[in-house]
C-alpha cells in the first residue's frame, strides 16, 4: 500500500481498491500511518464522495480493527437497536428488557451522553450500584441467563472508529453520510448480531435536521447492514420536541419505570412498541412488526417487561429497591420553574435548546471528563398541542446545583413557542425503510 | 481563530478571511496547530480552489513567517531570477555575475537538486572551496562590494514554506498552482527584491508538461509578485531536451565558464541573454529587454562577465585556479559512451529521462541526505535536429563510480529518438508574461 497514492486517487475522484482502503484503516489504527495523511484522505473522500463498495470496505475494516463478538453459543436470535440520538430518548431502558421477555436476546452496547443528547449508560448508572462495564464473558453469561445485557463500548470493539472519530471531529469531516454510517455500523456489526433496528431521528433536536438528510442516513445505514449480511430496518422518527415528559438521567429512569409498568407518556410507549415490533419480527418471534408491537404492549401492561427490568438491574449490581418508587426522591424537589408568559397553545418546543440547557444544568457533559448530576433535568408539564393559561407552569427544573439550574430558566422558557391557535405535534413515526423502499407509517 | 471553522469554510467552498488564514499559517509554523488539521485544510483548498485574495494572504503569511531581508541600505536595484527547474539548466551561474557587471544587484538564493533536476548550490559547491552558506550580513556586504552573492536558503527565511512543503509532499497536495506559486514567491519576496524574473519551464523535462499548465503557473506567479508590489516578469521556455550539452555539477560549471568567456552552446547563451535583458530592464538599466539582451551579449564577449564571475568565486572562498581550465580534469575522462543504434536525425531527447539517469549516476540526490558526485554526469554530442550516423557517439557518461554510471547507459540510449526525417527543436522561448498579457517571442 502507498498511502500518498491512495490519497491522490481519492483526490482525483477515483475509487480506492478494497485492499488499499482496508490496509489504510488497519495501519492507521496500529499507528503505522500518521493522522495528517488520514485527515487529507478523509477530506478528499468528504468532497469527492465514496462509492457503496468503498463504504462497505470501510465498515468491514473498522469492525475488524478490533474484537468481533461471537454469540453463536447463545441460543436464539440476537437483535439490537441503535438511535441516532435525541432529547428525552429513554427508549433503550424500556425496550431491551421488553424484547428480551418476549424471547429475543438483546446484547445492547450503548454510549454516554455528549453534546446536547443524553446517553443510555449515564441513565443506567443513575441507578445506585448499576454497573455497565461488563466484560464480554460476563455479558455472554448474562445474555444466556436473562436474554438481555446492557453495557458500554469496550476498548476492544472497533478501535479504528474511536481513532477516526476523534480525527474527524477536529478536521471538519464529521457530517458525511458514509463516515457516519461506517462509524455506527462498524460498532453495531462487531456485536455479532442477527438483526438491527435503527431509530433515525429527524428534526430540530436531532443530528439530521431535515427529512431528506434523515432519509439519506437511514438508507446508508440499512444498505451497509444488508451488504454485511445483517438484516437491518430503520424507522425515521420525530425529534422536534423532546420524547416523553422528562429530560435528565434519574428523571428518565423514573419515566421508564412508569412505561415498564404499563403507564407513562403515550409517545414513549408508542415508539417503544413500534421498535419492539421490528426487533421481534427480525428475531423471528412475530410475523409482522404490527403483531410484535401488539405483543410488546401486552408485556408492558401485564408486568412481564417490568419483571425483566428488575432482574436486569439486579444482575448488573443495581439497587432494585431504588427503582420501586423512583419519583419519591427528595433530590427531585424542583429548584425552579418556568411559567407561560402568555396563554394559548404550545406550538413547538425546541428539543435542541432544552437538551443544551439540561447539559448546562448538570445532566450531561460539555467535555468527556465532566461528571454528571443524576438528578439534574427538566419535567415538562406541557407538550406541543397542549392548551396553556398565562402564568401556568410549563417546566420544572431539577438539580443539586440550584444556581447553575436557575441560570437556564430563560433558555428553557425561550424553547417554548406559545401561540393563539390550536396546534398538533405531527406523527411520531415518519417512515420505515428495510432496503426495499420507504413505507410511510 | 477557530481552526475547525476555517477548515469547514474551505470545505464548503467559502473564502477564509485574511486574518484567519494568516493566523492559521503562523500558528502552524509555531507548532500551535497540528499537521492533521492543516492537511485537511490543504486538501479542501486543493479541491475547492483558492481565491486570488487567499493566495495573496497565503504568500504574505508565509514570507512573514520568517526573516524578510532588508536590502534598502545597498544602493541600486536588487533583481533576482527563479527557474521552475530543468535538466542541464546552469543559467544562474552565468546570469548572476553577468547582470551584476552591468550594474544591477543580484542577491540570489538558490536550492539544491532534488528529483530529476540539478541545483545551483550543488553546481557552485563543485568548485573547490566555494561556500554557499553565507550569513545574511556577509551576503549584504558582498552585494554592496560586488553586486552579486549566491547563497542557500537560510533557516530564517520563510520557515512556513519548509513545513508546508514537507506536509504537502506526504498528503498528495503538491500539484496545485496557488500552493506552488505561494511556495516559490514567499521565498523570493522574502529576499527584499525590487523585481523578479521567472523562467517557467515547459515540456517533458519540466514540472509543467503542457503549455496550458506552464501558462497558468506563470500567470499565478506574476500576479502574486505584482499584488505584493514586486514587479515580476515570466518567460515560458522550452524544457523538452536538456539545456546546453552538459548535465552534472562540474560539467555544467565548465560549460558555464565557456559561455562566460563568450563561447558555449547557443541555447544557453540565448536564454541567459534574454533573462539578463529582463533583469536589466526591471532594474532600470536598459529601456527594453532587447536592449538589455544586447548589452548582456557584449559583456559575455568582452570578458566583463567572466571577470565578475572570477571575483564572485574568490569572494565566496572558491579556488579561482580550478575554473581557469575546467575541462582539464582527469575525473572527467568518460567511463562509458552511448552510440546511435541507427543513422538519421535526432527527433527528440527526453530530458526527464536523462535527468533521472544523471541522478542515479551520482550527479544528484534521491534523498536529501545523499551526497553528490561533482564529476558524475553526461556530455551530449548530439542534440535535437543533429544528423547522426549509425554507431556515432551520442553521449559520454562520466562519474567516479564506473559501475553505477555504466548501469544507466541503456536509459540514456532510450532517451534518444532517432528517425529518418530532418527535425528541429522548436523555439527556446515560448512566451512572455508581465501581468498585462502574453507576448509570443
Amino acid at each position: 500500500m502507498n498511502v500518498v497514492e491512495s490519497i491522490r486517487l481519492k483526490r482525483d475522484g477515483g475509487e480506492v481498491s478494497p485492499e488499499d482502503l482496508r490496509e489504510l484503516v488497519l495501519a492507521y489504527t496500529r499507528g503505522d500511518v500518521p493522522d495528517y495523511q488520514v485527515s487529507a484522505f478523509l477530506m478528499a473522500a468528504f468532497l469527492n464522495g465514496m462509492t457503496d463498495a468503498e463504504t462497505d470496505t470501510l465498515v468491514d475494516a473498522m469492525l475488524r480493527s478490533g474484537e468481533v463478538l461471537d454469540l453463536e453459543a447463545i441460543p436464539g436470535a440476537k437483535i439490537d437497536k441503535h438511535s441516532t440520538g435525541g432529547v428525552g430518548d429513554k427508549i433503550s431502558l424500556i425496550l431491551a428488557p421488553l424484547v428480551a421477555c418476549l424471547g429475543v436476546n438483546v446484547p445492547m452496547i450503548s454510549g454516554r451522553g455528549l453534546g446536547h443528547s443524553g446517553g443510555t449508560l449515564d441513565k443506567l448508572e443513575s441507578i445506585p450500584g448499576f454497573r455497565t462495564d461488563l466484560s464480554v464473558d460476563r455479558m455472554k453469561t448474562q445474555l444466556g441467563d436473562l436474554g438481555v445485557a446492557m453495557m458500554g463500548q469496550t476498548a476492544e470493539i472497533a478501535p479504528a472508529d474511536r481513532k477516526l472519530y476523534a480525527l474527524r471531529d477536529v478536521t471538519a469531516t464529521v457530517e458525511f453520510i458514509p463516515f457516519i454510517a461506517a462509524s455506527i455500523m462498524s460498532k453495531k456489526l462487531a456485536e455479532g448480531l442477527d438483526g438491527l433496528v435503527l431509530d433515525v431521528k429527524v428534526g430540530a433536536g436531532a443530528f439530521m435536521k431535515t427529512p431528506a438528510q434523515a432519509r439519506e442516513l437511514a438508507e446508508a445505514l440499512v444498505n451497509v447492514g444488508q451488504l454485511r449480511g445483517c438484516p437491518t430496518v430503520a424507522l425515521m422518527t420525530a425529534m422536534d420536541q423532546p420524547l416523553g415528559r422528562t429530560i435528565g438521567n434519574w428523571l428518565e429512569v423514573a419515566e421508564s419505570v412508569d412505561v415498564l409498568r404499563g403507564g407513562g407518556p403515550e409517545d414513549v410507549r408508542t415508539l417503544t412498541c413500534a421498535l419492539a415490533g421490528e426487533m421481534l419480527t427480525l428475531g423471528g418471534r412475530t410475523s409482522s412488526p404490527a403483531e410484535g408491537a401488539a405483543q410488546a404492549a401486552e408485556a408492558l401492561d401485564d408486568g412481564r417487561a417490568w419483571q425483566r427490568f428488575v432482574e436486569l438491574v439486579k444482575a448488573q449490581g443495581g439497587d432494585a429497591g431504588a427503582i420501586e418508587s423512583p419519583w419519591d426522591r427528595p433530590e427531585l424537589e424542583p429548584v425552579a420553574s418556568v411559567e407561560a408568559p402568555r396563554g394559548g397553545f404550545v406550538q413547538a418546543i425546541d428539543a435542541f435548546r432544552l437538551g443544551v440547557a439540561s447539559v448546562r444544568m448538570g445532566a450531561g457533559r460539555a467535555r468527556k471528563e465532566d461528571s454528571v448530576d443524576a438528578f439534574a433535568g427538566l419535567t415538562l408539564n406541557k407538550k406541543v398541542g397542549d392548551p396553556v393559561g398565562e402564568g401556568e407552569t410549563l417546566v420544572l427544573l431539577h438539580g443539586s446545583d440550584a444556581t447553575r439550574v436557575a441560570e437556564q430558566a430563560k433558555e428553557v422558557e425561550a424553547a417554548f413557542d406559545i401561540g393563539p391557535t390550536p396546534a398538533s405535534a405531527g406523527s411520531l413515526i415518519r417512515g420505515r425503510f428495510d432496503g426495499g423502499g420507504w413505507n410511510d407509517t
Side-chain angles (χ1 to χ4, degrees), chain A:
Chain A
M1 176 195 52
N2 180 321
V3 179
V4 179
E5 279 312 310
S6 293
I7 302 172
R8 181 173 289 122
L9 186 58
K10 190 59 11 217
R11 180 195 82 187
D12 295 342
E15 183 173 20
V16 182
S17 75
E19 297 70 34
D20 286 348
L21 184 53
R22 180 173 294 115
E23 182 53 20
L24 180 65
V25 172
L26 298 179
Y28 176 58
T29 310
R30 289 195 306 267
D32 292 342
V33 170
D35 285 328
Y36 54 79
Q37 289 189 312
V38 174
S39 66
F41 183 86
L42 294 177
M43 183 57 80
F46 190 108
L47 289 173
N48 284 336
M50 301 255 288
T51 64
D52 286 350
E54 285 176 323
T55 304
D56 184 51
T57 301
L58 180 61
V59 172
D60 187 46
M62 284 166 70
L63 84 91
R64 283 176 208 289
S65 70
E67 187 174 3
V68 179
L69 301 192
D70 180 2
L71 304 180
E72 286 289 326
I74 298 156
K78 276 71 73 174
I79 313 285
D80 195 6
K81 183 239 20 170
H82 176 81
S83 156
T84 59
V87 177
D89 183 1
K90 64 279 293 174
I91 302 287
S92 290
L93 277 67
I94 312 161
L95 185 65
L98 170 61
V99 170
C101 82
L102 290 166
V104 167
N105 295 301
V106 184
M108 191 177 273
I109 300 186
S110 305
R112 297 194 179 277
L114 195 61
H116 72 286
S117 64
T120 297
L121 295 185
D122 294 324
K123 293 168 197 175
L124 289 170
E125 288 177 358
S126 73
I127 302 169
F130 199 103
R131 299 286 298 265
T132 60
D133 56 343
L134 306 187
S135 69
V136 168
D137 281 347
R138 167 86 187 274
M139 187 252 215
K140 286 182 183 173
T141 307
Q142 186 178 316
L143 203 58
D145 293 347
L146 267 187
V148 58
M150 301 186 78
M151 62 186 281
Q153 179 84 10
T154 71
E156 288 74 36
I157 290 183
D161 175 62
R162 257 193 312 288
K163 213 171 158 177
L164 283 168
Y165 189 85
L167 186 61
R168 285 166 55 210
D169 195 36
V170 292
T171 57
T173 49
V174 169
E175 314 94 315
F176 180 53
I177 297 277
F179 292 168
I180 298 169
S183 175
I184 293 172
M185 295 303 286
S186 63
K187 286 177 291 197
K188 286 291 149 188
L189 294 172
E191 292 175 15
L193 301 175
D194 300 309
L196 176 64
V197 175
L198 295 158
D199 181 5
V200 178
K201 305 286 191 190
V202 62
F207 192 48
M208 298 288 142
K209 308 294 181 200
T210 70
Q213 292 171 331
R215 214 172 274 127
E216 195 188 345
L217 177 58
E219 289 171 8
L221 291 165
V222 170
N223 287 340
V224 165
Q226 314 284 29
L227 269 173
R228 292 273 111 218
C230 176
T232 305
V233 175
L235 297 186
M236 182 166 71
T237 75
M239 182 39 65
D240 298 302
Q241 64 173 339
L243 204 56
R245 294 188 169 269
T246 58
I247 303 168
N249 296 303
W250 183 253
L251 286 161
E252 295 192 44
V253 168
E255 190 169 72
S256 299
V257 167
D258 287 352
V259 177
L260 283 159
R261 282 167 161 168
E266 196 52 38
D267 60 347
V268 178
R269 179 179 162 105
T270 300
L271 183 52
T272 304
C273 289
L275 293 165
E278 298 290 349
M279 291 172 76
L280 292 168
T281 306
L282 278 179
R285 281 278 154 178
T286 53
S287 57
S288 75
E291 187 195 338
Q295 289 197 10
E298 262 182 60
L300 289 175
D301 290 336
D302 67 15
R304 278 176 293 160
W306 167 245
Q307 182 68 32
R308 191 61 59 103
F309 181 66
V310 172
E311 288 165 20
L312 170 69
V313 169
K314 286 181 183 165
Q316 295 195 206
D319 175 1
I323 54 168
E324 275 299 326
S325 311
W327 296 106
D328 295 343
R329 297 287 298 238
E331 298 96 332
L332 288 186
E333 196 61 38
V335 294
S337 64
V338 165
E339 281 74 39
R342 73 190 75 84
F345 298 87
V346 179
Q347 308 288 315
I349 304 176
D350 186 335
F352 180 79
R353 215 155 177 172
L354 292 185
V356 170
S358 303
V359 168
R360 292 195 183 135
M361 288 160 61
R365 296 177 180 78
R367 292 166 311 170
K368 264 188 191 160
E369 316 75 73
D370 293 349
S371 68
V372 162
D373 175 4
F375 298 102
L378 306 170
T379 305
L380 281 64
N381 284 0
K382 302 289 173 187
K383 293 202 60 179
V384 173
D386 287 351
V388 58
E390 186 184 331
E392 216 183 332
T393 299
L394 295 173
V395 181
L396 300 172
L397 288 76
H398 316 261
S400 42
D401 184 338
T403 316
R404 197 175 166 192
V405 169
E407 276 171 5
Q408 298 303 318
K410 273 216 150 54
E411 268 302 295
V412 170
E413 185 185 324
F416 278 74
D417 178 12
I418 296 169
T421 50
S424 82
S427 64
L428 181 62
I429 301 175
R430 301 273 165 93
R432 178 182 185 275
F433 184 76
D434 62 9
W438 281 91
N439 319 117
D440 293 323
T441 55

